Amino acid sequence: MILAACGRNKKVDVSNIHVDVKIERFDHDFDAMRSKPMTVQATYLQQKYGVFYQDFVGHILQAGSTNDTTYFKTLRDVFRGKAYTDLKHDVDAAYPDMDAQNASLTEAFKYIKYYYPQKKLPKVYAYFSGFQAQTSIGNGYFAIGLDLFLGANSRFYPALTDAFPRYLSRHFTPENITPRVVEGIAREDMFPEDDNDKSLLSKMVYNGKILYFMDQVLPDVGDTTKIGYTTEQLKWCNDFKGKIWGYFLEENLLYETDYPKIQKYLTEAPFTPGLGEKNESAPKLAVWTGWQIVRGYMDKHPEVTLPQLMADKDAQKILNESKYRPQ
């Protein structure tokens, strides 16, 4: 097991891959509309950010189209509000610069380029999402909602528990930015899930491949951060992996396609109902199990490249050849 893990985590050399990520501070450029003539700054934003500026005005602010200036009234209302100034204060305090994120994303994007040399990487923007989304992807861009990466103890999050309960907001930290960007690019851009993959097994293996992709692209990021577990939840999964797998088999869940029946094994939650005592079980047990299946498959098939794995749609083959039999 130790040798397999070492082989899986062996870093490839990306020193000769020329990538330089600079997260553009849309939040700063947008704020400049308070002090500069709006028409002039709007033209600058249109030129610099293109479709993202249109998406921001239309979908985040819901202020209409950028084709005319009627949306300026909404902008003025936003800038006058205490909510905006309070949020700007906290974002600026947490992110006076994004040097650390630029460096970690540059490294991650180098790994993506190593495995996928032809991949056109998106421009990366930082903005305020209005507490709507940590990340969003569009035509040629990937945007980071800094308001949802302010740190687990941000003063804003207790008021948002309906949308972002504590078990989610505890991961809203700066070190989660790069993993969430990489995961978003993987899920939404490079390897979107096939709508025809309806069985729990196919969803297990799909999610396992996404996390294995993150293993390769983020070799220095811990498993808890990649999957969004606490240390205790990850330990629980490792301690009870045999019982978890036995439960899926005994309940005949692997080939179940009724999403309401399998949803609780795939989605975020504080724990998984029906497993463990005193609500101590980890959530997303099918995601974690799929990850172990894919890791087992790749440990047994060192000749399979990452692109070959990600292109392989045969979940049953991957399960069979993983020899996944946890005790």
Side-chain angles (χ1 to χ4, degrees):
M1 288 176 62
I2 292 171
L3 287 173
C6 288
R8 181 169 63 239
N9 294 326
K10 183 179 179 182
K11 290 186 186 180
V12 298
D13 183 6
V14 296
S15 60
N16 291 323
I17 296 176
H18 300 293
V19 172
D20 184 21
V21 177
K22 182 179 185 299
I23 301 169
E24 297 289 347
R25 294 298 296 263
F26 176 84
D27 57 316
H28 289 174
D29 289 336
F30 176 69
D31 186 68
M33 296 186 89
R34 289 201 292 175
S35 56
K36 295 182 179 179
M38 274 197 174
T39 303
V40 174
Q41 189 65 6
T43 300
Y44 172 76
L45 291 170
Q46 285 271 28
Q47 291 173 344
K48 183 173 180 179
Y49 295 98
V51 69
F52 173 70
Y53 181 59
Q54 299 163 26
D55 290 346
F56 176 78
V57 171
H59 301 306
I60 300 299
L61 296 182
Q62 297 184 349
S65 170
T66 57
N67 291 332
D68 59 59
T69 59
T70 55
Y71 71 94
F72 284 2
K73 180 183 183 302
T74 300
L75 300 190
R76 293 188 182 99
D77 291 341
V78 168
F79 291 138
R80 276 196 294 264
K82 185 175 184 296
Y84 175 81
T85 55
D86 285 350
L87 180 57
K88 176 173 168 48
H89 172 275
D90 285 24
V91 170
D92 287 348
Y95 298 99
D97 60 60
M98 300 201 72
D99 294 349
Q101 289 74 31
N102 287 334
S104 62
L105 270 178
T106 293
E107 191 75 359
F109 281 17
K110 284 183 178 183
Y111 280 98
I112 293 176
K113 274 289 193 181
Y114 174 89
Y115 293 107
Y116 292 87
Q118 304 307 313
K119 172 63 183 167
K120 185 177 180 182
L121 295 168
K123 294 180 178 178
V124 184
Y125 305 140
Y127 77 118
F128 300 167
S129 78
F131 301 106
Q132 293 184 46
Q134 278 196 309
T135 60
S136 57
I137 192 166
N139 185 12
Y141 71 77
F142 198 97
I144 301 163
L146 294 181
D147 44 347
L148 291 176
F149 289 102
L150 288 174
N153 297 318
S154 168
R155 59 173 165 159
F156 296 109
Y157 300 153
L160 301 171
T161 51
D162 286 347
F164 303 109
R166 174 65 183 169
Y167 65 84
L168 291 180
S169 65
R170 68 185 176 214
H171 301 296
F172 291 179
T173 59
E175 57 267 25
N176 269 280
I177 286 181
T178 293
R180 300 292 71 85
V181 171
V182 168
E183 182 177 13
I185 290 172
R187 290 185 181 277
E188 304 299 328
D189 178 26
M190 297 179 72
F191 318 109
E193 187 172 13
D194 190 329
D195 291 338
N196 295 318
D197 290 345
K198 299 188 182 300
S199 72
L200 183 62
L201 175 60
S202 64
K203 292 181 179 297
M204 271 183 175
V205 172
Y206 169 76
N207 283 284
K209 291 196 298 183
I210 295 293
L211 284 160
Y212 188 85
F213 176 84
M214 294 174 72
D215 284 340
Q216 307 311 304
V217 172
L218 301 167
D220 296 320
V221 172
D223 286 359
T224 53
T225 303
K226 279 178 280 195
I227 196 172
Y229 277 176
T230 64
T231 302
E232 293 75 19
Q233 287 171 335
L234 187 64
K235 183 179 185 301
W236 188 91
C237 284
N238 282 307
D239 288 347
F240 294 100
K241 57 189 174 185
K243 291 185 177 179
I244 296 167
W245 184 240
Y247 178 85
F248 286 136
L249 297 180
E250 290 161 13
E251 298 295 319
N252 296 314
L253 289 168
L254 289 190
Y255 306 103
E256 179 61 66
T257 58
D258 184 358
Y259 190 70
K261 284 187 179 179
I262 61 177
Q263 180 180 14
K264 65 182 178 180
Y265 308 114
L266 294 160
T267 53
E268 298 285 359
F271 59 90
T272 299
L275 284 102
E277 299 176 359
K278 301 177 183 177
N279 298 339
E280 64 183 0
S281 61
K284 302 188 293 187
L285 292 180
V287 175
W288 181 83
T289 301
W291 194 10
Q292 311 319 305
I293 290 169
V294 172
R295 282 175 163 178
Y297 172 78
M298 291 300 281
D299 286 344
K300 288 181 170 54
H301 293 278
E303 77 284 358
V304 175
T305 66
L306 182 63
Q308 287 171 339
L309 168 71
M310 301 308 292
D312 192 338
K313 304 294 186 183
D314 194 338
Q316 185 67 58
K317 182 197 80 175
I318 290 172
L319 171 61
N320 293 345
E321 297 186 13
S322 74
K323 310 293 186 189
Y324 189 65
R325 306 288 188 275
Q327 299 301 313

